[in-house]
PDB file of all heavy atoms in Angstrom:
ATOM      1  N   TYR A1336     107.432 115.108 116.252  1.00 95.00           N
ATOM      2  CA  TYR A1336     108.512 115.645 115.445  1.00 95.00           C
ATOM      3  C   TYR A1336     109.140 116.777 116.237  1.00 95.00           C
ATOM      4  O   TYR A1336     108.461 117.470 116.987  1.00 95.00           O
ATOM      5  CB  TYR A1336     107.982 116.186 114.111  1.00 95.00           C
ATOM      6  CG  TYR A1336     107.444 115.106 113.206  1.00 95.00           C
ATOM      7  CD1 TYR A1336     106.101 114.764 113.239  1.00 95.00           C
ATOM      8  CD2 TYR A1336     108.283 114.438 112.318  1.00 95.00           C
ATOM      9  CE1 TYR A1336     105.607 113.766 112.409  1.00 95.00           C
ATOM     10  CE2 TYR A1336     107.796 113.445 111.482  1.00 95.00           C
ATOM     11  CZ  TYR A1336     106.455 113.110 111.536  1.00 95.00           C
ATOM     12  OH  TYR A1336     105.972 112.129 110.724  1.00 95.00           O
ATOM     13  N   GLY A1337     110.433 117.006 116.038  1.00 94.00           N
ATOM     14  CA  GLY A1337     111.143 118.047 116.783  1.00 94.00           C
ATOM     15  C   GLY A1337     110.711 119.457 116.444  1.00 94.00           C
ATOM     16  O   GLY A1337     110.683 120.320 117.304  1.00 94.00           O
ATOM     17  N   THR A1338     110.364 119.690 115.167  1.00 94.00           N
ATOM     18  CA  THR A1338     109.969 121.036 114.753  1.00 94.00           C
ATOM     19  C   THR A1338     108.674 120.971 113.950  1.00 94.00           C
ATOM     20  O   THR A1338     108.319 119.923 113.408  1.00 94.00           O
ATOM     21  CB  THR A1338     111.046 121.707 113.876  1.00 94.00           C
ATOM     22  OG1 THR A1338     111.146 120.986 112.636  1.00 94.00           O
ATOM     23  CG2 THR A1338     112.398 121.748 114.578  1.00 94.00           C
ATOM     24  N   VAL A1339     108.027 122.101 113.842  1.00 93.00           N
ATOM     25  CA  VAL A1339     106.805 122.173 113.048  1.00 93.00           C
ATOM     26  C   VAL A1339     107.125 121.915 111.574  1.00 93.00           C
ATOM     27  O   VAL A1339     106.338 121.287 110.865  1.00 93.00           O
ATOM     28  CB  VAL A1339     106.057 123.505 113.259  1.00 93.00           C
ATOM     29  CG1 VAL A1339     106.847 124.676 112.713  1.00 93.00           C
ATOM     30  CG2 VAL A1339     104.676 123.472 112.642  1.00 93.00           C
ATOM     31  N   GLN A1340     108.296 122.366 111.119  1.00 95.00           N
ATOM     32  CA  GLN A1340     108.661 122.172 109.719  1.00 95.00           C
ATOM     33  C   GLN A1340     108.818 120.687 109.385  1.00 95.00           C
ATOM     34  O   GLN A1340     108.384 120.235 108.327  1.00 95.00           O
ATOM     35  CB  GLN A1340     109.949 122.935 109.379  1.00 95.00           C
ATOM     36  CG  GLN A1340     110.253 122.964 107.902  1.00 95.00           C
ATOM     37  CD  GLN A1340     109.138 123.594 107.072  1.00 95.00           C
ATOM     38  OE1 GLN A1340     108.539 124.581 107.468  1.00 95.00           O
ATOM     39  NE2 GLN A1340     108.839 123.002 105.936  1.00 95.00           N
ATOM     40  N   GLU A1341     109.426 119.898 110.277  1.00 95.00           N
ATOM     41  CA  GLU A1341     109.551 118.450 110.057  1.00 95.00           C
ATOM     42  C   GLU A1341     108.169 117.801 109.965  1.00 95.00           C
ATOM     43  O   GLU A1341     107.937 116.939 109.115  1.00 95.00           O
ATOM     44  CB  GLU A1341     110.332 117.800 111.189  1.00 95.00           C
ATOM     45  CG  GLU A1341     111.794 118.146 111.231  1.00 95.00           C
ATOM     46  CD  GLU A1341     112.479 117.605 112.474  1.00 95.00           C
ATOM     47  OE1 GLU A1341     111.794 117.119 113.402  1.00 95.00           O
ATOM     48  OE2 GLU A1341     113.712 117.672 112.525  1.00 95.00           O
ATOM     49  N   ALA A1342     107.265 118.208 110.836  1.00 95.00           N
ATOM     50  CA  ALA A1342     105.908 117.646 110.830  1.00 95.00           C
ATOM     51  C   ALA A1342     105.175 118.016 109.544  1.00 95.00           C
ATOM     52  O   ALA A1342     104.481 117.186 108.945  1.00 95.00           O
ATOM     53  CB  ALA A1342     105.135 118.128 112.048  1.00 95.00           C
ATOM     54  N   ILE A1343     105.341 119.259 109.090  1.00 94.00           N
ATOM     55  CA  ILE A1343     104.680 119.701 107.856  1.00 94.00           C
ATOM     56  C   ILE A1343     105.226 118.935 106.656  1.00 94.00           C
ATOM     57  O   ILE A1343     104.454 118.490 105.802  1.00 94.00           O
ATOM     58  CB  ILE A1343     104.841 121.227 107.677  1.00 94.00           C
ATOM     59  CG1 ILE A1343     103.984 121.960 108.701  1.00 94.00           C
ATOM     60  CG2 ILE A1343     104.478 121.648 106.254  1.00 94.00           C
ATOM     61  CD1 ILE A1343     104.200 123.461 108.751  1.00 94.00           C
ATOM     62  N   GLU A1344     106.545 118.756 106.584  1.00 95.00           N
ATOM     63  CA  GLU A1344     107.132 118.027 105.460  1.00 95.00           C
ATOM     64  C   GLU A1344     106.617 116.592 105.397  1.00 95.00           C
ATOM     65  O   GLU A1344     106.305 116.081 104.321  1.00 95.00           O
ATOM     66  CB  GLU A1344     108.655 118.046 105.556  1.00 95.00           C
ATOM     67  CG  GLU A1344     109.254 119.397 105.251  1.00 95.00           C
ATOM     68  CD  GLU A1344     110.737 119.476 105.549  1.00 95.00           C
ATOM     69  OE1 GLU A1344     111.342 118.437 105.911  1.00 95.00           O
ATOM     70  OE2 GLU A1344     111.293 120.582 105.406  1.00 95.00           O
ATOM     71  N   SER A1345     106.510 115.940 106.542  1.00 93.00           N
ATOM     72  CA  SER A1345     105.981 114.579 106.587  1.00 93.00           C
ATOM     73  C   SER A1345     104.514 114.548 106.162  1.00 93.00           C
ATOM     74  O   SER A1345     104.083 113.655 105.423  1.00 93.00           O
ATOM     75  CB  SER A1345     106.124 114.028 108.011  1.00 93.00           C
ATOM     76  OG  SER A1345     105.538 112.770 108.103  1.00 93.00           O
ATOM     77  N   THR A1346     103.755 115.536 106.598  1.00 94.00           N
ATOM     78  CA  THR A1346     102.333 115.594 106.259  1.00 94.00           C
ATOM     79  C   THR A1346     102.126 115.899 104.787  1.00 94.00           C
ATOM     80  O   THR A1346     101.193 115.366 104.176  1.00 94.00           O
ATOM     81  CB  THR A1346     101.628 116.647 107.141  1.00 94.00           C
ATOM     82  OG1 THR A1346     101.921 116.365 108.511  1.00 94.00           O
ATOM     83  CG2 THR A1346     100.129 116.608 106.932  1.00 94.00           C
ATOM     84  N   GLU A1347     102.980 116.725 104.209  1.00 95.00           N
ATOM     85  CA  GLU A1347     102.867 117.006 102.772  1.00 95.00           C
ATOM     86  C   GLU A1347     102.995 115.726 101.962  1.00 95.00           C
ATOM     87  O   GLU A1347     102.312 115.549 100.949  1.00 95.00           O
ATOM     88  CB  GLU A1347     103.923 118.028 102.347  1.00 95.00           C
ATOM     89  CG  GLU A1347     103.621 119.426 102.813  1.00 95.00           C
ATOM     90  CD  GLU A1347     104.745 120.407 102.558  1.00 95.00           C
ATOM     91  OE1 GLU A1347     105.908 119.964 102.350  1.00 95.00           O
ATOM     92  OE2 GLU A1347     104.470 121.619 102.567  1.00 95.00           O
ATOM     93  N   ASP A1348     103.851 114.804 102.402  1.00 93.00           N
ATOM     94  CA  ASP A1348     103.983 113.511 101.733  1.00 93.00           C
ATOM     95  C   ASP A1348     102.673 112.719 101.833  1.00 93.00           C
ATOM     96  O   ASP A1348     102.231 112.107 100.861  1.00 93.00           O
ATOM     97  CB  ASP A1348     105.135 112.722 102.344  1.00 93.00           C
ATOM     98  CG  ASP A1348     105.375 111.416 101.633  1.00 93.00           C
ATOM     99  OD1 ASP A1348     105.471 111.431 100.383  1.00 93.00           O
ATOM    100  OD2 ASP A1348     105.468 110.375 102.317  1.00 93.00           O
ATOM    101  N   LEU A1349     102.029 112.748 102.998  1.00 91.00           N
ATOM    102  CA  LEU A1349     100.735 112.060 103.160  1.00 91.00           C
ATOM    103  C   LEU A1349      99.673 112.665 102.245  1.00 91.00           C
ATOM    104  O   LEU A1349      98.877 111.952 101.638  1.00 91.00           O
ATOM    105  CB  LEU A1349     100.264 112.147 104.618  1.00 91.00           C
ATOM    106  CG  LEU A1349     101.061 111.356 105.645  1.00 91.00           C
ATOM    107  CD1 LEU A1349     100.613 111.732 107.051  1.00 91.00           C
ATOM    108  CD2 LEU A1349     100.909 109.869 105.406  1.00 91.00           C
ATOM    109  N   VAL A1350      99.657 113.981 102.145  1.00 94.00           N
ATOM    110  CA  VAL A1350      98.675 114.668 101.304  1.00 94.00           C
ATOM    111  C   VAL A1350      98.887 114.300  99.834  1.00 94.00           C
ATOM    112  O   VAL A1350      97.925 114.088  99.090  1.00 94.00           O
ATOM    113  CB  VAL A1350      98.740 116.201 101.515  1.00 94.00           C
ATOM    114  CG1 VAL A1350      97.930 116.948 100.477  1.00 94.00           C
ATOM    115  CG2 VAL A1350      98.272 116.553 102.927  1.00 94.00           C
ATOM    116  N   ARG A1351     100.148 114.192  99.420  1.00 93.00           N
ATOM    117  CA  ARG A1351     100.432 113.781  98.033  1.00 93.00           C
ATOM    118  C   ARG A1351      99.947 112.357  97.760  1.00 93.00           C
ATOM    119  O   ARG A1351      99.483 112.049  96.675  1.00 93.00           O
ATOM    120  CB  ARG A1351     101.934 113.882  97.743  1.00 93.00           C
ATOM    121  CG  ARG A1351     102.398 115.275  97.410  1.00 93.00           C
ATOM    122  CD  ARG A1351     103.813 115.265  96.853  1.00 93.00           C
ATOM    123  NE  ARG A1351     104.812 114.931  97.861  1.00 93.00           N
ATOM    124  CZ  ARG A1351     105.347 115.789  98.722  1.00 93.00           C
ATOM    125  NH1 ARG A1351     104.967 117.058  98.699  1.00 93.00           N
ATOM    126  NH2 ARG A1351     106.254 115.409  99.586  1.00 93.00           N
TER     127      ARG A1351
END
Side-chain angles (χ1 to χ4, degrees):
Y1336 293 92
T1338 66
V1339 67
Q1340 190 58 40
E1341 291 173 350
I1343 289 172
E1344 288 171 5
S1345 176
T1346 307
E1347 287 172 341
D1348 184 50
L1349 291 171
V1350 169
R1351 279 192 290 277

